[in-house]
Amino acid sequence: MTDWKAFTVETTDNVAQVTLTGPGKGNAMGPDFWAELPQIFGQLDADPQVRAVVLAASGKHFSFGLDLPAMSPLFGPLLADRALAAPRTDFHNHLKGLQASVTAVADCRKPVIAAVQGWCIGGGVDLIAAVDIRYASADAKFSIREAKVAIVADIGSLNRLPAIIGDGHLRELAFTGKDIDAARAEKIGLVNDVYDDAEAALAAAHATAREIAANPPLVVHGIKDVLAQERVDVVAAGLRYVAAWNAAFLPSEDLTEAITALAQKREANFKGR
């Protein structure tokens, strides 16, 4: 392993802990996050000493999601030249790269257990949708918030969550962009269990990881592979479709209004243009 800017990685007794460390506020997902995530999980997948992975986060919150200021170069050309093919094509290519970063977590042959505390918003939900098991602290809150910033969620939550929480719950969360607490998340199956605090959730994740690591690793790989076959093609097709959809339709006055409203700390006024 190397020195990472957005993560730390530590391995003990066949269990690796990958910890989000920022540098954005609330572990917001900036360029370093997207570049390093697939590298880390590619290395963990190839490391025979690693049999399970715990995904955690530093600080009070798991992640505030996409770091919009840091990632603004991704949107700027698209909004400035929205009638042109070149910026749309560039955006489409960048978006497929972001999708591939999270897909690296899902494709890792080692089971991944997430421990979530505080806010888990937007891209944070995309990320935990790609893991195998999710635990949460009692203060955890979740939101598929992209609709509130005039974006169709495009990194995986819309594609992976139907198999996790069911179609109706996903539609409610995605259409409204509402926040739900840990109790509701457990009720709908977004998380497996809820613990008193972040430390207890992380300890539970490590306990489960150690149980997994004690089993024959090739059998565990096989179980994950067999379980993935039911939905891998559906997820891949959905990711391709939403990448093309957003490259075509994401530029809008509503998106500009959403970004402006966030910067000005006010409610957005969407007009469907």
Side-chain angles (χ1 to χ4, degrees), residues 6-8 18-22 26-27 29 33 37 55-59 61-63 127:
F7 299 91
T8 59
V18 179
T19 306
L20 284 68
T21 60
N27 300 314
M29 300 170 169
F33 172 91
L37 184 67
L55 181 62
S58 60
H61 303 288
F62 186 78
S63 179
L127 179 57

Side-chain angles (χ1 to χ4, degrees), residues 24 91 113 212 225 236:
F91 177 82
I113 305 101
I212 293 169
D225 185 48

Side-chain angles (χ1 to χ4, degrees), residues 9 21 24 45 53 55 57 72 92 102 116 124 165 193 270:
V9 182
T21 60
D45 179 80
V53 181
L55 181 62
S72 59
H92 186 245
V102 171
V116 180
I165 66 175
D193 287 298
F270 297 127

Side-chain angles (χ1 to χ4, degrees), residues 119-153:
W119 281 109
C120 181
I121 302 171
V125 178
D126 291 316
L127 179 57
I128 67 167
V131 310
D132 300 286
I133 299 167
R134 288 156 292 277
Y135 295 142
S137 61
D139 72 341
K141 291 179 285 188
F142 304 83
S143 180
I144 304 173
R145 196 172 291 181
E146 284 87 345
K148 290 187 177 294
V149 290
I151 296 174
V152 175

Side-chain angles (χ1 to χ4, degrees), residues 6-7 22 28-40 63 65-68 70-71 74 94-95 97-104 122-124 126-127 154-155:
F7 299 91
M29 300 170 169
D32 292 331
F33 172 91
W34 299 106
E36 293 175 356
L37 184 67
Q39 296 180 56
I40 290 169
S63 179
L66 187 70
D67 188 338
L68 280 173
M71 299 297 288
L74 182 65
H94 284 304
L95 178 51
L98 302 186
Q99 291 177 339
S101 293
V102 171
T103 296
D126 291 316
L127 179 57
D154 53 15
I155 308 297

